[in-house]
Amino acid sequence: NKIVKWSEGDQLKVIENSAVYRTSEAATIDADGKAQFAVSFPKKSGAVAYNGVFPASAVVEETEVNANEVQVAVKSFQYPSEDSFDPQADVLVAKQLEFEAQPTELNMQFKRLVAMGKMTLTNFDENAEIVKVVFATEDQPLAGRNVVNTTTGKVVEYGAETAITLNYDGITSRDIYFTCNPFAL
């Protein structure tokens, strides 16, 4: 249904003033499914801007922080369930927030950077269990390190991985779910 599937323990990577990365504490989930994260920055005066990426583990931290060129890894190895994609492979970027003074609370709105896919496998024995699915293209970047401008929410450069591996504990469903870079078939 394209709704973010937050889980207890999820973490965000938050960028303040295109200068500092901070990883949030583990999320708590409200009864209505909204996630709450806590993150701290040193007290500042003057205008500030905040950017965010989910999951925190997707951000490839470089020595110099630049919100206009954040390296974000789209997973080429994913662990979906029988009826959903891997929530840690759902890469989201928050709309930039700007303030005249440092706030005590942020309310972030997220945009999905990956495409969500559903594929139905055919011509299998109905009792056969699936433990791994690998699919690849010859030249389409399905995953890897994307460069993202988190101030605009746009992907500047796509990664180079042309294959995605889906790992299962053994499922009998023929519908599989995954995320990848948007591409045309």
Side-chain angles (χ1 to χ4, degrees), residues 91-111:
V91 181
L92 310 169
V93 64
K95 182 178 179 182
Q96 183 178 48
L97 299 172
E98 298 179 65
F99 301 93
E100 294 300 316
Q102 192 175 41
T104 58
E105 185 175 295
L106 302 172
N107 289 309
M108 294 185 153
Q109 296 176 334
F110 290 90
K111 169 185 171 183

Side-chain angles (χ1 to χ4, degrees), residues 35-53:
Q36 291 190 13
F37 300 89
V39 64
S40 302
F41 289 95
K43 190 168 178 124
K44 290 186 178 42
S45 59
V48 291
Y50 295 94
N51 304 80
V53 175

Side-chain angles (χ1 to χ4, degrees), residues 30-177:
D30 294 342
D32 63 0
K34 290 183 181 176
Q36 291 190 13
F37 300 89
V39 64
S40 302
F41 289 95
K43 190 168 178 124
K44 290 186 178 42
S45 59
V48 291
Y50 295 94
N51 304 80
V53 175
F54 172 82
S57 62
V59 175
V60 181
E61 290 190 40
E62 299 298 322
T63 53
E64 187 176 313
V65 181
N66 179 352
N68 296 322
E69 294 182 356
V70 176
Q71 287 191 32
V72 177
V74 174
K75 290 183 173 193
S76 58
F77 289 89
Q78 300 178 20
Y79 299 88
S81 67
E82 192 158 348
D83 60 356
S84 183
F85 59 89
D86 177 352
Q88 292 298 305
D90 188 14
V91 181
L92 310 169
V93 64
K95 182 178 179 182
Q96 183 178 48
L97 299 172
E98 298 179 65
F99 301 93
E100 294 300 316
Q102 192 175 41
T104 58
E105 185 175 295
L106 302 172
N107 289 309
M108 294 185 153
Q109 296 176 334
F110 290 90
K111 169 185 171 183
R112 186 168 273 121
L113 292 183
V114 294
M116 297 169 53
K118 176 183 176 185
M119 185 182 300
T120 301
L121 305 176
T122 59
N123 298 327
F124 281 91
D125 179 307
E126 70 179 57
N127 296 321
E129 286 192 346
I130 297 169
V131 293
K132 183 189 288 187
V133 174
V134 179
F135 61 95
T137 65
E138 289 186 25
D139 59 357
Q140 296 287 334
L142 299 177
R145 285 188 183 189
N146 292 347
V147 177
V148 177
N149 181 329
T150 61
T151 62
T152 64
K154 304 272 188 217
V155 177
V156 177
E157 179 182 321
Y158 285 102
E161 298 288 330
T162 57
I164 291 180
T165 302
L166 307 175
N167 299 286
Y168 298 95
D169 289 331
I171 62 168
T172 56
S173 171
R174 296 302 174 237
D175 291 333
I176 60 169
Y177 300 87

Side-chain angles (χ1 to χ4, degrees), residues 6-12 24-29 35-38 54:
W6 299 112
S7 299
E8 295 286 334
D10 282 347
Q11 293 180 296
L12 296 177
S24 73
E25 293 178 15
T28 57
I29 311 301
Q36 291 190 13
F37 300 89
F54 172 82

